[in-house]
Each structure stands twice: as C-alpha cells, then as structure tokens.
Amino acid sequence: MTEHNEKLSYLLDDYPGENPEATLDEVIGDVNLQYRMRRYQIIGDAMRHDLPQAIDTGFHQSVMARIREQAVDSPEMSTESSRASRLNWLTLRPFAGLAVAASVALVTVALWQPLKQESGQADDSLASAEQQKIQQLARQKVEGGAVPVSTRVQALGTRWKLEHEMPGLQQKLNAYLVNHTEYSNSVQGLIPQARVAGFDAQQ
Amino acid sequence: MGTNLLDADLVKRVQAGDTGAFDILVQKYQHKVINLVGRFVSDQAECQDIAQDAFIKAFRAIDSFRGDSQFYTWLYRIAANTAKNYLASRARKSANYTVDVDDAQHFEGESGLKEYANPENLLLTDEIRATIFRAIEKLPDDLKSAITLREIDGLSYEEIADVMDCPIGTVRSRIFRARDVIDKELRPLLE
C-alpha cells in the first residue's frame, strides 16, 4: 500500500514514474486512493494559504452529481456524443458548403425563369395575337368567305350599284381616307384602305 | 517537470468519456477555484455555487480544450468569467427586485438557501489548518525543508535536490514521508 501512496505523491507533483497510465487507473478506480490524494491536496493548499474559509467536503461529489443529472436530462451533453456530433459536422462541413451553394444557384435559376417568361410572354402574346389574326384571315380566304365590311354593303351590294351609278364616288372615298390618314388609330404609314379592304360577295 | 502531465492525461481521459478523471480534476482544483471566485464574490455560499457552475461549464466545454494553454489557466478563465457573469446578472436583478416591508423580516436572499459556511464547516476548516501546521512543526528538519520547498516555494524535485544537496530519489522519498506523517494527523478529521 505504501508503494501506491508513494506513487500517488509523485503523481501529484507531476512526476508520473514508469507507468503513469496504470497509476492513474488505480487512482480513478480506488476511492481510498482518491481520499488520500484529496488530503495531500489539502495539505498543500493549507501550506500555501489556498484553503477556502470553509471546506465543503462534498463539493466534488455535488459537482459530479450535477454533471450526471444533466447528462441524464440531456443525453447530448455527454462527452462521447458531443465529440461524435462534432466529428460528423467536421466531416460533413465541405458537403454542407456545396449544398448551400447548389441551393443558392437553384433558387437563382428558379427566380430568373419566371422573370424571363414574364417579359417574354408580353412579346409572345403580341406576336401570337398578330399571328392569330393572320391565320384567321387566311383561313377565311381559303374557305372562300368574304371579309364582311359592312352588313349594308354585303346585304344589298349597294357599293357596286353606287359605283355604277356614281363613278366618282369611289375616288372621293379613297381621297377622303388618304387625307384623313392621320386620324386613323392604325399604324401610321400603312395604307388605311387596307383596314376596310374587301369585296362584295355579290360582285 | 512542471508541465502538468497529470492534467493533460486527465483531460484526455475526460475527452474520451471518462467522467471519473474529471472528478480527480475537480478534487485537485476545487479550493483554488473557490478562492478565485471568492475574489469576486464575498459570500461563501455563493462562491461554492459559482465554483460548481464553473466546473460544470468546464466539463461541457472540455472537448474544445486543445491543450494550447495549461488546463488550470483555462479553468481559471472559465471560473473568472462565471463569477463576472454572476455579478452582472445579480446587478440586473437587484435593479428590478423589491422586497415588501412586511416580507422583509422573512427575506434571506439567495445566499440563505445553502449554508456551506456554517459554523461546523468553519470550525472544521480552522481545525484542519491548525492540525496541518502542528504536524509540520513536529516534522524532522529534512522532511520539513523538503515539503516546504515543494509546496510553498514550488520548486521541482531537481531544484530541491540541488538546494538540499541530495539525490532526487531522496527528495521524492522525503516529500512523500512528510505528507504521510501529516496525513496521519489529518485523516481522523475528514473521515
């Protein structure tokens, strides 16, 4: 036993001896050696005037009891698990960085696409409306149906009748349209007659 | 020596999940930590509570200790910060805390909840000190010199061997024998 006590004394003075691991194992596993170590510690503290006003003999037991309680309450507090989680984090950190970068890129692309579609849709909708009009006109022509200019003209064929009876009327009408082009809401520069072009089905 | 190999070894063990090794560290540094906290907080009961908190914080954070500094330096920093935080939170509390005049006679405050510095503990501590110094006085000169040079002057075994002009083995033996003699007197008080 004296040999153990002697080793304990060296260990406290930081002279671990030949097999410090074994000595430390003995101390941790032997309550009597721990009590002795604490008394050796008290001797040194008293000599250096480091003893507190009142020694609480159960201080270390209270600390260890609280540590055990908290470890039970929150298992992640245990050293093993916290070290494992830190190791996991260290391993996964580069991948987490990549994942964040990929997410940012994905969000950017996802946001950019609708914006592009919105601005493109305006152009597309104009183009498709024009396209539809052209197609509609073309289809009507193919079907042989005349583009109705006015019900009056279509129904009675008055336009041709009037043209026969009053030959200058067509020219007057054309001149009127040309002179009043600027009042038209159609695109300037286009021939205004084009908007009312047609022919009488009864011609 | 003086590189605290024991502390380094104990810390490694705690980091590997051996809580028993932390118990040794607590026993080794409890008085120093309580004294350090006592420089910030005068109430002895509060000192004990804050010192306990400091040790628990150290246990929680021990994985972050990389050994760049000595363990006790790291531990003292935690203890000092815990004491300062306690004082700051107490100052905030007292600014918003009022006690009704009628309740004042029953009010003891937080320090009254735990009585570490009770008369028995104070008496015991005084008796421990007196016993140790009495035992040292009775030691033979060679043992008294060896233990004094080690514990009070903090000399290494090599330095004590130089001072006492004897082999290191003799120094080790004298220091152990001195401790053993004092311990025989001290032991009945702490059982």
Side-chain angles (χ1 to χ4, degrees), chain A residues 2-3 5-17 20-22 24-25 27-28 32 34-64 66-68 70 77-80 82-83 86, chain B residues 1 3-6 9-10 13-19 21-24 26-28 30-32 34-35 44 48 51-53 55-56 59-60 63 66 116-117 121-122 125 128-129 132-133 136 147-148 150-152 156-158 172 175-176 179-180 182-183 186-187 190:
Chain A
T2 308
E3 193 190 343
N5 298 343
E6 213 167 335
K7 279 183 187 172
L8 182 67
S9 178
Y10 305 157
L11 196 68
L12 265 183
D13 290 334
D14 219 26
Y15 286 84
E21 291 291 317
L24 209 49
D25 282 338
V27 174
I28 291 169
N32 288 323
Q34 281 185 35
Y35 284 147
R36 182 173 287 271
M37 191 194 75
R38 216 177 83 221
R39 290 196 302 272
Y40 284 180
Q41 198 69 50
I42 287 173
I43 292 167
D45 287 343
M47 289 179 76
R48 288 185 297 273
H49 300 285
D50 274 346
L51 279 186
Q53 258 186 312
I55 291 176
D56 175 19
T57 49
F59 180 88
H60 73 103
Q61 287 161 339
S62 305
V63 172
M64 296 315 291
R66 278 180 64 186
I67 285 172
R68 275 189 289 271
Q70 291 184 14
M77 188 191 146
S78 76
T79 317
E80 288 281 353
S82 66
R83 196 175 58 258
R86 201 178 68 245
Chain B
M1 296 295 285
T3 50
N4 284 299
L5 294 173
L6 173 62
D9 206 348
L10 287 168
R13 283 170 182 248
V14 179
Q15 287 174 336
D18 184 354
T19 47
F22 192 73
D23 194 3
I24 306 288
V26 176
Q27 291 183 55
K28 189 174 177 191
Q30 58 181 341
H31 298 141
K32 289 187 178 74
I34 291 167
N35 274 340
Q44 188 66 22
Q48 299 268 354
Q52 278 195 19
D53 286 345
F55 276 113
I56 289 165
F59 179 78
R60 283 179 179 166
D63 277 348
R66 288 278 153 266
Y116 294 109
N121 268 358
L122 288 168
T125 308
I128 286 170
R129 272 197 207 95
I132 289 168
F133 285 111
I136 291 169
I147 191 82
T148 304
R150 175 66 205 161
E151 295 289 12
I152 297 176
S156 67
Y157 283 6
E158 291 82 358
R172 289 198 309 199
I175 290 171
F176 163 66
R179 279 177 176 148
D180 203 40
I182 300 166
D183 183 56
L186 182 63
R187 194 173 171 173
L190 291 167

Side-chain angles (χ1 to χ4, degrees), chain A residues 40-161:
Chain A
Y40 284 180
Q41 198 69 50
I42 287 173
I43 292 167
D45 287 343
M47 289 179 76
R48 288 185 297 273
H49 300 285
D50 274 346
L51 279 186
Q53 258 186 312
I55 291 176
D56 175 19
T57 49
F59 180 88
H60 73 103
Q61 287 161 339
S62 305
V63 172
M64 296 315 291
R66 278 180 64 186
I67 285 172
R68 275 189 289 271
E69 274 171 28
Q70 291 184 14
V72 169
D73 290 345
S74 56
E76 70 272 12
M77 188 191 146
S78 76
T79 317
E80 288 281 353
S81 58
S82 66
R83 196 175 58 258
S85 63
R86 201 178 68 245
L87 277 174
N88 283 342
W89 167 242
L90 286 173
T91 314
L92 293 174
R93 194 158 58 180
F95 298 107
L98 277 175
V100 169
S103 307
V104 170
L106 193 68
V107 168
T108 310
V109 169
L111 286 173
W112 184 67
Q113 284 287 3
L115 283 174
K116 190 188 167 195
Q117 279 174 4
E118 273 175 25
S119 61
Q121 270 173 358
D123 296 341
D124 290 348
S125 61
L126 282 173
S128 63
E130 289 290 322
Q131 200 75 18
Q132 277 176 354
K133 274 185 188 174
I134 292 165
Q135 281 175 354
Q136 198 178 358
L137 286 168
R139 208 178 304 122
Q140 285 176 347
K141 200 170 181 179
V142 169
E143 286 163 2
V147 178
V149 176
S150 78
T151 49
R152 181 174 162 269
V153 171
Q154 191 180 28
L156 301 170
T158 47
R159 183 180 166 191
W160 303 114
K161 190 181 171 187

